[in-house]
Amino acid sequence: EPVFGGPFFTFERDSTRRPVQHRFEIEYKKEASILVNYVEDEDLILVDHLVSETEENDKPYTFIPDGDSEGFKWEKGKWVHIDKVFNFKLQDGQAPMPDPVRDADGINDPTKFGDQIKKKNNTPVTKPPAKRPKKQLSPA
């Protein structure tokens, strides 16, 4: 039986304590795209972390996501706020994708797509076409 609202959202682990909330709501810039998602495997509500794009923290209509995530983890009958869900950092020079699909010139490598397709469908991978030459600018 669904229950709407209740003293379920706590901020007890945050450095700045806030009272328990019956509902969690966020306000943000109208043009912004915000993620709020339930991750079933982790029993976690994932929410984009928002910051003011104009450094006016009292004006929620300036809030946009900053690429970080916060969330709520279900523990002992309540949603406990997690200020920073992901805390890993890439080393300098380390790519977020270990095997990028584009080469250093920004050209797609079809074998990379083929490898992904092959893994899913067990189909053979085709060889990439020869690299296309770089465009040269002609004087006007």
Side-chain angles (χ1 to χ4, degrees), residues 25-32 34 50-54 56-65:
E25 56 185 55
I26 55 175
E27 295 181 71
Y28 53 91
K29 185 175 181 175
K30 181 167 68 170
E31 294 83 13
I34 307 299
L50 304 177
V51 295
S52 173
E53 67 180 343
T54 59
E56 297 173 279
N57 293 330
D58 59 332
K59 298 180 179 174
Y61 57 84
T62 66
F63 291 177
I64 59 172

Side-chain angles (χ1 to χ4, degrees), residues 56-114:
E56 297 173 279
N57 293 330
D58 59 332
K59 298 180 179 174
Y61 57 84
T62 66
F63 291 177
I64 59 172
D66 67 353
D68 213 347
S69 298
E70 58 185 277
F72 291 91
K73 181 89 172 148
W74 185 254
E75 294 178 1
K76 300 178 184 175
K78 54 189 169 185
W79 291 106
V80 179
H81 184 251
I82 301 168
D83 191 44
K84 191 171 180 96
V85 174
F86 306 110
N87 56 13
F88 63 90
K89 243 174 123 173
L90 295 175
Q91 300 298 320
D92 285 343
Q94 185 181 19
M97 180 181 280
D99 191 19
V101 295
R102 295 180 191 243
D103 64 16
D105 296 324
I107 299 171
N108 286 340
D109 181 352
T111 59
K112 303 295 174 88
F113 294 113

